[in-house]
Amino acid sequence: MTDRGAVYLIAAIVAAAVVAGIIFSKRPGMLKVALGIDRLSTFVGQFGSWAILLLTAAIVYDVTARRFFRAPTDWAYDVSYMLYGGLFMLAGAYALSRNGHVRGDFLYRNFHPTLQAKFDLVLYMLFFFPAIMAFMISGWHFFELSWMQNERSSVSPTGPIIWPFKFLIPAVGLLLLLQGLVEVVRCVQCIRSGDWPPRISDVEELEKQILLAAQEKGAEALAAEMASGGEAAILKAAHEVEEKASRDPRPHARDHHEG
């Protein structure tokens, strides 16, 4: 596929996501798809976070060998920049799914959710997706050339192969594209409903609050209350626990147990 064909394909996928967000915004299946991609981004990001332990171990070993045994390694530099680069890239889609990227929000946070969604939607279309297209296409060519040459590092005597590391560039671009599509659908849903739809972090927080409510009220009483009141009762119970926790400075029983 040519670069122009790839651009057209990605643009068509983005347009289809916007249309799907408009048509199916109130369908439960759309929320499941969005949360499913959130979970994928979360899994990749949390899996990549383990690289920090390997990175720390490699640096500590190299410094110890260099300082106390006068035996510096010939692999620590390559390992350190590959692990750090992988950690940084794999966290991108995860941070986007948690709405955790840096934002100059001194004005944005005061907007109504509908205006926030419109603002985000315009910025995604003007900047995010064109940048992701360039990132994926150029990253693929970067990896392809490295793979065809069986490229090795030139900064250390061991010269490890580095094309698998470069494959992360288009792969991470794809993850960012998927998560960006989810964010566009959320923008469309917010514009139509006037409120932001839940993220996977919101769902996880709600689950924790429900468990705390079950501890406070008793599982059977909470189940009966939820059965009679439906979703509103679930949210009410969770909010009651959250408000009580915010007013009570004492640690919960669960905190004592964990301590």
Side-chain angles (χ1 to χ4, degrees), residues 66-254:
R66 185 188 303 270
R67 180 69 177 84
F68 296 103
F69 300 100
R70 298 182 182 274
T73 66
D74 56 3
W75 48 264
Y77 179 76
D78 285 310
V79 167
S80 62
Y81 78 73
M82 289 183 183
L83 287 174
Y84 179 75
L87 171 67
F88 180 80
M89 289 191 292
L90 292 174
Y94 172 59
L96 185 59
S97 72
R98 299 298 174 116
N99 200 24
H101 283 290
V102 176
R103 174 191 285 131
D105 62 349
F106 64 99
L107 293 176
Y108 177 90
R109 63 188 173 188
N110 296 318
F111 293 165
H112 187 272
T114 301
L115 183 57
Q116 290 180 343
K118 292 178 180 178
F119 195 75
D120 284 355
L121 185 59
V122 171
L123 293 180
Y124 273 115
M125 293 301 178
L126 290 182
F127 298 104
F128 180 83
F129 288 114
I132 290 299
M133 290 181 190
F135 183 75
M136 291 178 63
I137 293 171
S138 62
W140 175 260
H141 292 315
F142 195 50
F143 155 71
E144 187 178 30
L145 181 62
S146 177
W147 176 62
M148 292 175 64
Q149 296 176 344
N150 195 30
E151 184 180 6
R152 294 179 175 270
S153 174
S154 60
V155 297
S156 66
T158 54
I161 58 174
I162 59 177
W163 58 262
F165 170 70
K166 290 184 176 181
F167 177 71
L168 283 178
I169 300 173
V172 167
L174 179 60
L175 285 173
L176 283 168
L177 175 65
L178 290 175
Q179 191 61 50
L181 295 175
V182 170
E183 300 307 315
V184 164
V185 171
R186 286 194 171 109
C187 289
V188 174
Q189 291 175 329
C190 182
I191 293 171
R192 298 193 68 186
S193 66
D195 198 10
W196 284 107
R199 298 175 177 273
I200 189 65
S201 54
D202 301 327
V203 174
E204 291 172 349
E205 183 65 24
L206 180 61
E207 290 174 349
K208 293 177 182 178
Q209 292 172 358
I210 291 174
L211 289 176
L212 289 176
Q215 293 178 2
E216 294 283 343
K217 297 185 176 183
E220 295 183 359
L222 181 62
E225 185 177 338
M226 290 180 177
S228 60
E231 182 179 356
I234 297 175
L235 296 175
K236 180 182 177 182
H239 291 159
E240 287 176 354
V241 172
E242 185 178 10
E243 290 177 2
K244 182 176 180 181
S246 65
R247 292 193 303 266
D248 187 359
R250 297 173 301 173
H252 295 285
R254 185 186 64 170

Side-chain angles (χ1 to χ4, degrees), residues 1-17 133 136-137 174 177 181:
M1 181 183 293
T2 63
D3 291 351
R4 179 176 295 181
V7 169
Y8 289 155
L9 176 61
I10 296 173
I13 293 173
V14 173
M133 290 181 190
M136 291 178 63
I137 293 171
L174 179 60
L177 175 65
L181 295 175

